[in-house]
Amino acid sequence: MVAIVFGSINIDLVSKTPRLPLPGETLTGHSFATAPGGKGANQAVAIAKLGVPSYMVGRVGADNFGRELLASLQAAGVRTENVLVDESISSGVAAIAVDDNGENQIIITPGANGRVDETDVERLQSVLKILSSSPFQKGGTNSPPSQGGLGGSILLLQLEIPLSVVIAAAQVAKAAGIQVILDPAPAQNLPDELYPLVDIITPNETEAGRLVGFIVDGREAATEAARALLQKGVGNAIVKLGAKGVVCATQAETFFTPAFSVTAVDTVAAGDAFNGGLAAALVEGLPLRQAVVWGAAAGALAATKPGAQSAMCDRPTLEALMATGS
């Protein structure tokens, strides 16, 4: 079984500053770097680095950034034959400021990601049809992974491509019997029709608050938000609280997973690393509780390194952190 990521591929332009700027303020940074990123590509790399087969479906521009982005995916072991090189527009760009505490602010210019459309969904559908023909693939959505692993291939979605295309991708996954993980980032309102197509939704506090209509600022509020998301129709809801841990609600139970204690350097891709670890564990058939631990460990490790894809951990490093429990 494999993980298929349908989503964004960006180049990250990262400036390090002592603190994040206030509105209208100009700060002097102390370092600058470019790095491959994009929430979709980050998640694909995170999965591949953990030794799980990973496919990327999306677009890059026909520019130097696009070539760099494809090379980074391929170097990590991600299959890229379904990434379209769009001759009509630039690659996506994320301008990122990171302060000395590891907190960040991000501005995204979609570029080729904004051109993802039904033709890309058709390419995704071709991949899903091949995977759904496997005798090991479970059919249907919203199966209870807390009773075992999801037990098959998984489609990961995010919101850095047009929302209408995200919905279409979730629909073809449902038709193919492929499980769907949605990272609802960047934060935005979602249409009611999308929730029942999602097996696992993984917002952080800000995103969860946007979806449920109240402030999510800790474990108690996260628990309430996760249960509210179940009522909207998702199969399972995971609310990521960063250094405060993770709350997960399923149809059968609600549980909390504490965060791993690490020294954060850069939290830019920690959420993507979480989704990569979660998906990798589920593809391997692990129960949801253990998959959340994988996600928490992967996210923590990503926060200890600068950059996005370069911060994704390998399998031995992940297993070592989980073995120590800290």
Side-chain angles (χ1 to χ4, degrees):
M1 298 296 101
V2 304
I4 312 99
V5 182
F6 185 73
S8 58
I9 309 170
N10 289 331
I11 194 75
D12 291 345
L13 310 178
V14 185
S15 293
K16 295 292 186 67
T17 63
R19 58 179 175 81
L20 298 177
L22 300 172
E25 182 182 20
T26 298
L27 293 179
T28 299
H30 49 68
S31 67
F32 173 78
T34 63
K39 298 192 76 62
N42 292 345
Q43 292 176 19
V45 167
I47 293 163
K49 282 192 170 183
L50 293 174
V52 171
S54 174
Y55 285 71
M56 185 76 216
V57 182
R59 295 194 187 199
V60 296
D63 50 24
N64 289 335
F65 286 156
R67 288 185 284 275
E68 181 180 347
L69 291 166
L70 285 174
S72 176
L73 287 166
Q74 292 161 359
V78 178
R79 297 280 295 272
T80 62
E81 59 263 38
N82 287 294
V83 176
L84 176 69
V85 178
D86 191 329
E87 301 280 348
S88 66
I89 196 169
S90 68
S91 296
V93 174
I96 304 172
V98 181
D99 71 15
D100 289 342
N101 294 318
E103 295 301 320
N104 65 83
Q105 292 177 341
I106 304 174
I107 299 173
I108 295 173
T109 304
N113 298 308
R115 296 286 182 88
V116 174
D117 60 20
E118 290 293 335
T119 62
D120 301 280
V121 176
E122 290 171 3
R123 286 187 287 111
L124 170 66
Q125 192 169 23
S126 297
V127 176
L128 296 180
K129 283 181 179 178
I130 294 171
L131 296 173
S132 63
S133 66
S134 166
F136 301 103
Q137 180 65 51
K138 291 185 178 181
T141 60
N142 294 347
S143 62
S146 58
Q147 305 305 312
L150 279 175
S153 297
I154 294 175
L155 175 66
L156 290 90
L157 300 169
Q158 320 80 36
L159 301 179
E160 289 181 339
I161 59 175
L163 181 57
S164 61
V165 184
V166 172
I167 296 170
Q171 288 170 336
V172 300
K174 180 180 179 68
I178 302 290
Q179 308 287 346
V180 175
I181 297 177
L182 173 64
D183 183 359
Q188 59 183 277
N189 296 326
L190 298 179
D192 292 341
E193 66 183 299
L194 180 55
Y195 291 104
L197 302 173
V198 175
D199 294 282
I200 303 177
I201 194 167
T202 62
N204 63 20
E205 289 171 287
T206 300
E207 295 148 5
R210 180 70 175 268
L211 296 177
V212 300
F214 56 82
I215 295 173
V216 178
D217 56 1
R219 181 173 172 179
E220 183 176 346
T223 300
E224 184 179 353
R227 291 171 177 164
L229 289 169
L230 293 186
Q231 293 178 357
K232 288 178 176 286
V234 301
N236 307 274
I238 295 172
V239 180
K240 300 173 289 189
L241 304 174
K244 294 178 285 187
V246 183
V247 170
C248 180
T250 77
Q251 302 298 334
E253 63 176 339
T254 300
F255 62 89
F256 173 77
T257 299
F260 289 85
S261 178
V262 297
T263 300
V265 172
D266 180 347
T267 62
V268 165
D272 297 330
F274 178 96
N275 273 41
L278 176 77
L282 293 173
V283 168
E284 294 202 350
L286 295 179
L288 184 59
R289 278 181 173 267
Q290 186 61 30
V292 171
V293 174
W294 277 46
L301 287 166
T304 67
K305 295 181 180 180
Q309 294 172 24
S310 60
M312 302 304 172
C313 66
D314 58 20
R315 185 71 160 263
T317 305
L318 181 84
E319 291 175 345
L321 180 64
M322 291 190 296
T324 63
S326 63

